[in-house]
Amino acid sequence: MSLRPSDPFKVPTSRPIEQKLHVGIFVCPGYFMPDVIGIQTVFGTLPNTELYLVWKNKDEFEGVPCFTTRANTTFAECPKNLDLLHIGAIPPNVMEDPEVLAFVAEYGGRAKWVSGVCAGALVLGAAGLLKGYRATTNFHMHDQLAYYGATPTKANVVEHGNRITSGPVSGSFDLALRLVGRLVGDDIGREVELQMEYAPEPPYRTGRPDLAGPELTAKALAALAPLTEITREVGLRAARRLEIR
């Protein structure tokens, strides 16, 4: 029997994962790859786990930054009952695509867990999956969670019911490891964290506004203000559509 390229990278665990996990990762033209890489790495190296990179079709497209991607599963092919549906940041126009929102609402509504990193949390909200839930996202857009009926909560990772959200990049790993614990147990989660040697030590410790200070934070907010205002308009339209008061 021949090995798939991913098989040698599966992390052995001290006990078997009895039931196969089905993990859907939403991708699309212009998606922000760092927001999904934690989920893809953590669950992609877990035994007895199937990953589905899901989009409308299987044509090649460009992710951000400069990451050529091709989905391996279409919306129509995606398993109906996922253990996890995960979404990272995507372009604002895709956040309002009716076909995308219908897919996220249907498949996320059935999944055991749904997760969103960075603006991916806003996508969950746009699909109606965050009404009444606590959630977080990146600091630039944190207040916009209220447009979707969510309660904006300041934390690295926020878990409420079966919804789990985080800030960008490293949040993808933090969230993924927590989900391993929820799905197959904390002992395996600890093993995976060690096997990956995941113990971040950022050199500047400016990765949150409270660490960076007001001057640097103001510069960061100003730099992304054009994108933030576009997503704000998306959120305001979503609030009207979702009848959020």
Side-chain angles (χ1 to χ4, degrees):
M1 181 177 66
S2 61
L3 291 174
R4 296 187 302 176
S6 61
D7 288 341
F9 292 94
K10 293 290 185 180
V11 175
T13 53
S14 58
R15 63 175 175 80
I17 297 173
E18 300 292 349
Q19 188 169 346
K20 183 182 284 289
L21 296 176
H22 300 275
V23 176
I25 300 175
F26 182 89
V27 294
C28 68
Y31 82 107
F32 191 55
M33 184 274 294
D35 287 346
V36 306
I37 195 64
I39 292 285
Q40 190 170 358
T41 302
V42 169
F43 283 94
T45 57
L46 204 62
N48 205 20
T49 301
E50 201 70 42
L51 287 186
Y52 308 92
L53 301 183
V54 188
W55 174 235
K56 296 178 182 182
N57 55 58
K58 297 178 183 177
D59 298 340
E60 189 175 278
F61 55 79
E62 192 80 3
V64 177
C66 192
F67 199 81
T68 302
T69 303
R70 187 191 303 272
N72 63 12
T73 306
T74 66
F75 289 172
E77 295 169 342
C78 188
K80 298 296 183 184
N81 296 294
L82 294 168
D83 292 285
L84 168 64
L85 176 63
H86 176 78
I87 304 178
I90 61 177
N93 65 301
V94 184
M95 291 173 63
E96 296 188 284
D97 184 317
E99 188 178 354
V100 167
L101 295 179
F103 170 80
V104 175
E106 179 184 351
Y107 284 73
R110 282 198 302 259
K112 288 182 182 177
W113 287 86
V114 290
S115 58
V117 168
C118 188
L122 305 184
V123 181
L124 296 180
L129 297 178
L130 288 186
K131 284 184 180 181
Y133 288 86
R134 296 188 304 276
T136 192
T137 184
N138 59 317
F139 71 93
H140 310 79
M141 306 172 183
H142 197 263
D143 65 308
Q144 296 180 25
L145 286 163
Y147 299 148
Y148 305 97
T151 300
T153 305
K154 292 289 182 68
N156 179 43
V157 177
V158 172
E159 180 182 334
H160 188 182
N162 71 337
R163 273 71 161 158
I164 184 166
T165 53
S166 76
V169 189
S170 65
S172 174
F173 283 93
D174 297 334
L175 175 152
L177 287 165
R178 186 181 294 207
L179 282 165
V180 170
R182 297 294 180 267
L183 286 166
V184 294
D186 292 331
D187 288 343
I188 289 181
R190 292 186 186 96
E191 292 176 20
V192 174
E193 184 175 309
L194 174 59
Q195 294 285 16
M196 294 194 314
E197 204 169 340
Y198 180 67
E201 295 182 6
Y204 303 111
R205 293 193 57 78
T206 56
R208 294 195 314 263
D210 60 304
L211 297 173
E215 183 177 352
L216 183 54
T217 297
K219 290 180 180 178
L221 288 169
L224 284 190
L227 174 60
T228 302
E229 289 311 305
I230 292 172
T231 60
R232 187 178 303 280
E233 291 299 318
V234 171
L236 289 168
R237 288 191 290 271
R240 292 192 290 270
R241 173 172 53 80
L242 297 168
E243 299 183 339
I244 303 297
R245 299 288 184 257

